[in-house]
Amino acid sequence: MISAILGAGTASIQYRFMILRSEQSERRHIICQRILYAIAWIGCIGTIVTAIFSMRLSPTVHRISAGPAFFFCAVYNLGQAVCLYKKSFSSRRICHIRLASTLVTNVTLLTFSACMTIDFFQLCTGRCREIYTRTGMVAEWTGFVGLIIYPLMNYTDFQCLSLTLSREGVSIGLREKTQDPENPE
């Protein structure tokens, strides 16, 4: 539940950051960011449903919500990792690490989906089923850890944002860029 709330907050800040870094003439990029923002919120809502309905109490609801939640979060992370190559204040090395971790997460989630499909349709029995079940669980948790770690890689971009609280509400803006020790120019 906490990861879904933090994910929604991170997605909102990331969306604002990317819109601030975009020129008005880049309509395609702005539309892409809006689509990614909607995908992130769908993933966060799915994560909340997954957290509310535990596997022990309601396994069907948990499974139905976990699959799309993982999928939408992974697609969002991959889309943002690709978009951040042009718009990020981070170094190329951080962008490469961000993309690599996202690709590893996507591969583990595909492995999880394959193993759970084999288990769900009971395509094998006995020892074979146990192997697929355990492999699926390891892949699920590896993918989950990857989804949790991804927002932490945005720290250099978020350092360039300023948060202003006023009576009208909260506003997020870009600070003047200072020298980044990790990315000297």
Side-chain angles (χ1 to χ4, degrees), residues 33-106:
Q33 284 303 313
R34 288 184 179 150
I35 292 169
L36 284 173
Y37 186 56
I39 287 172
W41 272 94
I42 293 169
C44 290
I45 291 168
T47 304
I48 289 172
V49 171
T50 303
I52 291 172
F53 297 100
S54 71
M55 187 68 173
R56 289 188 178 141
L57 298 177
S58 184
T60 305
V61 175
H62 183 84
R63 286 181 181 147
I64 289 172
S65 63
F70 273 146
F71 173 76
F72 284 116
C73 288
V75 167
Y76 169 74
N77 287 353
L78 182 62
Q80 283 296 7
V82 170
C83 289
L84 282 169
Y85 267 95
K86 285 186 177 180
K87 303 291 181 187
S88 178
F89 287 127
S90 301
S91 65
R92 281 299 241 203
R93 185 180 51 142
I94 294 290
C95 289
H96 291 325
I97 292 169
R98 191 183 287 150
L99 184 62
S101 74
T102 303
L103 291 175
V104 167
T105 300
N106 286 333

